[in-house]
Amino acid sequence: MASQHPLPQPKSVLRGHHAQVHAAAFVRDNQRLASGDAEGYVVLWDLTIVRPRAVWRAHTNAILGIASWGADKIITHGRDNQLVIWKLAEEDEASLSTTLPLDPSPTPRPQPWILYILPVNTMNFCSFGFCPAGADGTADELLIAVPNTLASESVDIYHFPSQKRLHTVASSPKGEKTGMVMSLVLCRVKGFLTLVTGYENGLAMVTQQSEPGDNNNNNGSSSWDVSYRAQAHGQPVLSLDVSPRQDFFYTSGADANVVRHPIPRPQALPMSSGGPETPITTPPPPESHLPRREASKPPQQPASLLSAALAAAPKTAPIPQKQGSVVEVRTQPTKVVNTKHSGQQGLKVRSDGKIFATAGWDSKIRVYSAKTMQELAVLKWHQVGCYAIAFANLDHLSPPTEEDKQNSDGSSALDSDKSTATKAVVPKLVDVTVKDRRIKQAKETHWLAAGSKDGKISLWDIY
């Protein structure tokens, strides 16, 4: 009997890459989709008309990662040992070629203006991670994390636009062999710079900077503490991503496991207090209570020189403040699911934190619930393996707050000014153009893009 629920089909299929698609990212409020392939080409697709707006060869080898920095910059990371930041505003698109990589071009395609080129190590097949440089979240300055040039198990963090290397974060202070870094994410958790990494031996780890604040002029002197490490994969970690609330991260690997890991809250106490610092999760030793109890009593003459020396010892030799940043290392993931399907990569969490998706070597895109880790959908259209996943950003579609819905007297804001709202809405419905409708659809559709070995990108409207 035929199924009552037909198989889902993509809304659109973008055909144009000659080689397999390795990276994809939505940019400019979801109006553009940037895709990169194994031959180094980048295509900037206009989702309002589903056509290319800019095509150029960004690298001489495969592209590992692609992202946007603000509204006018594109970051590409290639296997030609270069990370390049391009200036590409909407008005710059007209000067670039729209001839797709699949079509021969009699002349070389022009490139956008190059702002920065950073020599990097690409032996790992690991894409870059990034976050704003300032704790205030402004995008004027950026921090970019890439595998270390000499030690493939370590990570370098650079500041842009200065291109200065601020930190080198080792995989293990004991020199444990973890293999190469396979995937990484750089973010801020409660103001603390946090690096999440997945390794060749299946290890996943969270490393946090010991002190919060800006890193623009950091000289690299601050230490880094491992707050979580667990080996829930038997084979290399292929991809990972952090939830929007930054309380969990998810990993997928060459094995069949999909794992949810905790991101511990930073445990370092503020360094402004005068007393000895202790970790939040570690109770102070009994000796540390003695000086406080003694200090609360009226001053007394010590009974002997020995007791006077013992009473004065904590005051003259306090616990070093460096110990205040010591953290308890967690070692247990919150959930491990054996999906029975090995080789899932390109894992991405949607901006609302409700679902995440993976690209499978078996050509299927799998969508999971971020809360229950249950498989919600299997999207089947490509005939060969998939490598890249990208979600449209839904932050601007968040529901209105109660303050927006209610006036001070508790009545609805729309009902309180119904006539004004009606007059404002009717002209907009009449005057809206086809272009405006297309832009609105591109911005508000719950897009999921999947790049495949066949050079095609499928666009799905899901959940």
Side-chain angles (χ1 to χ4, degrees):
M1 187 174 72
S3 173
Q4 296 179 354
H5 302 284
L7 294 177
Q9 294 294 314
K11 292 292 184 179
S12 301
V13 177
L14 307 178
R15 298 172 171 88
H17 286 282
H18 184 265
Q20 54 261 44
V21 179
H22 281 180
F26 286 89
V27 300
R28 297 195 198 138
D29 296 329
N30 308 328
Q31 295 184 59
R32 301 287 189 270
L33 175 68
S35 58
D37 65 25
E39 293 180 347
Y41 284 97
V42 172
V43 179
L44 195 64
W45 303 89
D46 186 342
L47 296 184
T48 62
I49 58 175
V50 199
R51 294 289 186 273
R53 283 291 191 184
V55 181
W56 76 98
R57 192 172 191 184
H59 298 272
T60 59
N61 208 325
I63 290 180
L64 298 174
I66 190 166
S68 64
W69 178 9
D72 61 346
K73 291 182 283 292
I74 300 290
I75 308 172
T76 61
H77 185 188
R79 287 219 67 215
D80 55 359
N81 300 307
Q82 289 186 341
L83 184 144
V84 185
I85 300 180
W86 312 83
K87 183 183 181 303
L88 184 55
E90 185 173 356
E91 57 269 19
D92 301 325
E93 296 174 356
S95 62
L96 300 179
S97 173
T98 58
T99 303
L100 290 164
L102 195 61
D103 302 323
S105 177
T107 59
R109 298 170 178 84
Q111 291 183 334
W113 185 264
I114 296 177
L115 295 177
Y116 311 102
I117 297 179
L118 179 69
V120 294
N121 168 27
T122 55
M123 183 187 304
N124 301 40
F125 294 89
C126 175
S127 180
F128 66 98
F130 67 101
C131 74
D136 55 1
T138 57
D140 295 337
E141 301 178 36
L142 202 68
L143 297 179
I144 292 182
V146 293
N148 181 266
T149 304
L150 300 178
S152 296
E153 67 276 4
S154 301
V155 175
D156 289 334
I157 300 177
Y158 290 87
H159 171 267
F160 282 85
S162 70
Q163 296 184 259
K164 177 183 177 182
R165 183 171 65 179
L166 299 182
H167 309 281
T168 296
V169 184
S171 62
S172 174
K174 298 180 181 179
E176 178 186 353
K177 299 298 182 181
T178 60
M180 297 187 296
V181 177
M182 302 297 292
S183 185
L184 63 87
V185 169
L186 184 67
C187 60
R188 287 189 181 276
V189 179
K190 300 295 184 181
F192 288 75
L193 197 59
T194 300
L195 180 66
V196 184
T197 46
Y199 293 90
E200 190 178 8
N201 68 344
L203 175 72
M205 190 160 64
V206 176
T207 312
Q208 295 172 324
Q209 198 174 7
S210 58
E211 298 178 11
D214 292 350
N215 287 265
N216 302 0
N217 299 313
N218 197 304
N219 58 8
S221 60
S222 61
S223 63
W224 289 74
D225 302 314
V226 176
S227 59
Y228 172 81
R229 56 181 292 135
Q231 190 166 350
H233 294 276
Q235 295 188 43
V237 176
L238 296 180
S239 59
L240 63 86
D241 200 13
V242 172
S243 66
R245 296 180 60 184
Q246 299 177 334
D247 48 357
F248 298 105
F249 71 99
Y250 302 83
T251 59
S252 64
D255 57 9
N257 289 347
V258 174
V259 187
R260 182 175 63 203
H261 309 261
I263 298 181
R265 299 293 93 177
Q267 299 178 31
L269 290 174
M271 308 301 286
S272 59
S273 61
E277 297 288 327
T278 55
I280 291 177
T281 57
T282 305
E287 290 81 6
S288 65
H289 291 280
L290 181 58
R292 296 176 183 175
R293 290 201 299 267
E294 293 295 337
S296 63
K297 296 179 180 180
Q300 296 181 5
Q301 183 68 25
S304 65
L305 294 177
L306 178 61
S307 60
L310 293 175
K315 299 178 182 179
T316 58
I319 300 174
Q321 293 212 359
K322 197 68 173 179
Q323 294 185 9
S325 62
V326 175
V327 296
E328 177 184 359
V329 180
R330 299 179 61 176
T331 59
Q332 294 296 326
T334 60
K335 194 162 188 177
V336 180
V337 176
N338 186 348
T339 66
K340 310 297 183 181
H341 305 288
S342 60
Q344 298 184 62
Q345 66 179 68
L347 187 151
K348 293 295 180 184
V349 182
R350 198 167 68 180
S351 60
D352 61 0
K354 294 182 179 180
I355 59 175
F356 66 92
T358 61
W361 292 351
D362 60 358
S363 76
K364 297 180 178 65
I365 301 102
R366 291 180 170 84
V367 182
Y368 298 90
S369 165
K371 182 178 181 180
T372 65
M373 301 280 288
Q374 291 182 342
E375 187 179 273
L376 301 178
V378 178
L379 308 179
K380 170 64 175 174
W381 184 85
H382 299 277
Q383 301 300 314
V384 291
C386 296
Y387 295 145
I389 289 289
F391 274 114
N393 193 324
L394 306 183
D395 289 342
H396 59 289
L397 300 180
S398 56
T401 62
E402 290 299 323
E403 183 178 357
D404 296 330
K405 294 179 181 179
Q406 302 291 331
N407 286 328
S408 57
D409 60 355
S411 62
S412 170
L414 181 61
D415 293 339
S416 65
D417 199 7
K418 188 174 181 180
S419 60
T420 304
T422 304
K423 293 177 182 178
V425 171
V426 171
K428 289 183 179 180
L429 293 177
V430 174
D431 297 338
V432 68
T433 64
V434 174
K435 181 180 179 180
D436 292 335
R437 285 201 300 268
R438 287 175 173 174
I439 292 176
K440 184 176 185 297
Q441 181 182 18
K443 287 184 174 182
E444 298 182 358
T445 301
H446 292 195
W447 292 121
L448 184 156
S452 173
K453 188 177 178 180
D454 57 13
K456 301 179 180 66
I457 303 168
S458 55
L459 284 175
W460 307 78
D461 179 7
I462 186 168
Y463 296 108

